[in-house]
Amino acid sequence: MSATAPRKLATDSTTTPRQPRQVATWIYHGLMLVIVLIWILPLLWTVSLALTPNEILKTSSQTLLPQGLTLSNFADVFTTGGTPRWFLNSTIVTVVTTVITVLVCAMAGYAFAKLPFTGRLVVYSLTLAGMMVPKEAMFIPLFMMFSDMNMHNTYSALILPRIAFPLGVFIMTQFFAQVPDEIQEAASIDGASSWRIFYSVMLPLARPSLIALATFTFVQTWNDYLWPLVSATKPSMFTVTTGLASLQGNFSQSTELGSLMARGIVGTLPLLLLFIFFQKYLIRGVSMSSGEK
């Protein structure tokens, strides 16, 4: 009896300190659950309204559960207006912009981080200064420039202004600065040129940061509304954001709440899928670009 008593005391002494930590863990997860519910509540309401017939929504829309389940609102999205054409325009503009922007930012970041040249700090500072200029302040010069070249209502006008991405240059410069110089020196000793080092050595190492930059660029380009609204005046050149917004100008369309919610869901669906599949690379790329291991 006396031999087992100390064991019981020892066991109690080891389990007691765990109880406050367990309580703190439960409190933490409870708070996170409340925050998630608060964040997801508008999304649930949007989905519920999109699945409810418009006739019912004209009398009652204060519910989180669909009333009279229907998919007609989603069907109307692709049959009203030129939605398939708008999706094609957004896909072309977003994909081309993302590819070119990632390539340009990667080359600029590698040059600023690893290639010494005269005036490097000055050019890099001027590049980062571009983040301080609101894009709205550049609309008039950009509009006049593309108007003089008769490039409005073209894919070039929708793509070219977004290629200059100072934040992307900063992200890639921060990453390449973390790569040890010994790697570049070893490749140079083996006879590799600067271009060969960039494509064969640096780009494979920068894959997480490249995916993070591509995700940022994709989201911003897909969500861009002001510049396509200014540059694309023909309905055939509308993107998803401007096209779906133009439908709200029609009074019959703006009063159909279910169709409005369905258009919002369809417009944001590519972005949600992007984050679901690439969130791991996004977090890793940002952490590596900030210098964390």
Side-chain angles (χ1 to χ4, degrees), residues 171 175 208-210 212 280-290:
I171 292 175
F175 173 81
S209 294
L210 292 174
K280 178 180 67 175
Y281 298 99
L282 178 63
I283 298 173
R284 183 183 175 190
V286 173
S287 61
M288 293 181 68
S289 299
S290 62

Side-chain angles (χ1 to χ4, degrees), residues 24 89-90 98 102 121 129 133 161 174 188 190 241 246 256 265-266 275:
N89 293 339
S90 287
T98 300
V102 170
L121 294 179
V133 181
Q174 289 296 105
S188 300
D190 291 338
T241 53
S246 67
E256 296 181 353
I265 293 174
V266 172
F275 275 107

Side-chain angles (χ1 to χ4, degrees), residues 2 5 30 40 44 58 62 66 75 104 115 131 152 161 174 178 208 257 261 286:
S2 60
I40 204 173
L44 295 177
K58 291 179 181 179
Q62 306 298 324
V104 171
L115 300 181
M131 293 190 295
H152 286 300
Q174 289 296 105
Q178 303 297 323
L257 188 58
M261 296 297 107
V286 173

Side-chain angles (χ1 to χ4, degrees), residues 266-286:
V266 172
T268 57
L269 187 59
L271 303 183
L272 294 177
L273 295 177
L274 183 72
F275 275 107
I276 290 175
F277 288 107
F278 292 101
Q279 59 179 338
K280 178 180 67 175
Y281 298 99
L282 178 63
I283 298 173
R284 183 183 175 190
V286 173

Side-chain angles (χ1 to χ4, degrees), residues 90-110:
S90 287
T91 302
I92 294 175
V93 171
T94 302
V95 171
V96 175
T97 301
T98 300
V99 172
I100 298 178
T101 301
V102 170
L103 182 60
V104 171
C105 291
M107 291 190 294
Y110 173 67

Side-chain angles (χ1 to χ4, degrees), residues 234-246:
K234 296 180 179 179
S236 60
M237 290 304 300
F238 284 173
T239 58
V240 170
T241 53
T242 55
L244 296 181
S246 67

